[in-house]
Amino acid sequence: AEFKKHAGPNWKSLCQPAILPMTIDFHPDPSELQDQDKFRIKQYSVTLPSMNETNYKDATELLDDLMVQRVRQDFQLVPRSILSAHRETDNTVLSRTLSMGHKIQKLSYNSTSDSVDVVQYYANFAENESPQSYRYLLWSALRQDYVSVVQTFTKYTSPYKWNELDMLLSGE
């Protein structure tokens, strides 16, 4: 069996990087999530408009759409088996937990208020990271000279306005 057909870089993998796995195998204990020294908590509800005013057939479809938006922003699903190991599962079928390591979100359908409840946990250690700047010179063909450029790198992503996006998706 031939391992490699030709020498050189694998251009396909360099042009289209691999994505994260869909699931993550780590989730903090519920006691850690409630510890204010470790996590900051934000909560809100996304109220569903009446079904004749929305494009969604039911709450499951909206919940799945909210989940997909988070996966597109590098969140990963926390499997129910991981949650049950922490005894954190509620037997609600309409509940999803997603994690980015330093950010965790729980989406669950509340049938009494006909809304999706969102609980966001932000790790405090990710809040105090200072960005790193990298200065370099870049050749400019237009100017025929080197131009000074600064690129800033951050270890953790900046806050995202999930509340606004979720309201937009729900039709409010």
Side-chain angles (χ1 to χ4, degrees):
E2 186 179 332
F3 179 73
K4 205 171 187 184
K5 292 184 179 181
H6 59 83
N10 182 349
W11 290 110
K12 185 175 180 181
S13 68
L14 291 174
C15 296
Q16 297 177 347
I19 61 171
L20 293 171
M22 289 295 295
T23 60
I24 190 167
D25 60 355
F26 170 76
H27 189 266
D29 292 323
S31 60
E32 281 185 72
L33 289 175
Q34 299 304 321
D35 185 354
Q36 291 183 351
D37 292 332
K38 294 184 179 182
F39 286 93
R40 188 169 42 88
I41 302 171
K42 288 185 179 180
Q43 300 180 52
Y44 62 91
S45 293
V46 180
T47 307
L48 297 171
S50 62
M51 284 302 157
N52 58 356
E53 296 177 14
T54 184
N55 296 329
Y56 298 107
K57 291 184 286 186
D58 56 14
T60 308
E61 212 173 80
L62 173 62
L63 189 70
D64 286 344
D65 207 9
L66 297 178
M67 180 189 64
V68 166
Q69 293 301 319
R70 284 155 173 80
V71 169
R72 287 181 179 164
Q73 294 292 326
D74 293 335
F75 275 86
Q76 295 171 282
L77 295 167
V78 179
R80 291 187 188 272
S81 59
I82 301 292
L83 296 172
S84 62
H86 293 299
R87 295 188 183 112
E88 193 180 317
T89 57
D90 51 8
N91 292 327
T92 311
V93 176
L94 297 176
S95 177
R96 307 285 189 269
T97 302
L98 297 106
S99 176
M100 191 187 280
H102 63 288
K103 296 179 187 177
I104 298 170
Q105 294 195 11
K106 184 176 181 182
L107 311 172
S108 53
Y109 175 65
N110 184 339
S111 58
T112 56
S113 63
D114 199 30
S115 64
V116 175
D117 296 329
V118 179
V119 181
Q120 300 172 322
Y121 302 93
Y122 295 95
N124 290 334
F125 68 82
E127 300 290 320
N128 300 327
E129 289 290 326
S130 58
Q132 300 293 317
S133 295
Y134 177 66
R135 296 181 182 281
Y136 58 97
L137 296 175
L138 182 67
W139 177 257
S140 169
L142 182 64
R143 296 173 84 185
Q144 292 295 305
D145 195 13
Y146 288 99
V147 179
S148 179
V149 181
V150 177
Q151 178 66 48
T152 304
F153 297 95
T154 56
K155 187 172 182 178
Y156 302 105
T157 58
S158 58
Y160 196 84
K161 296 182 179 180
W162 288 109
N163 191 353
E164 291 179 17
L165 178 66
D166 293 346
M167 297 300 177
L168 182 68
L169 288 175
S170 73
E172 284 195 15

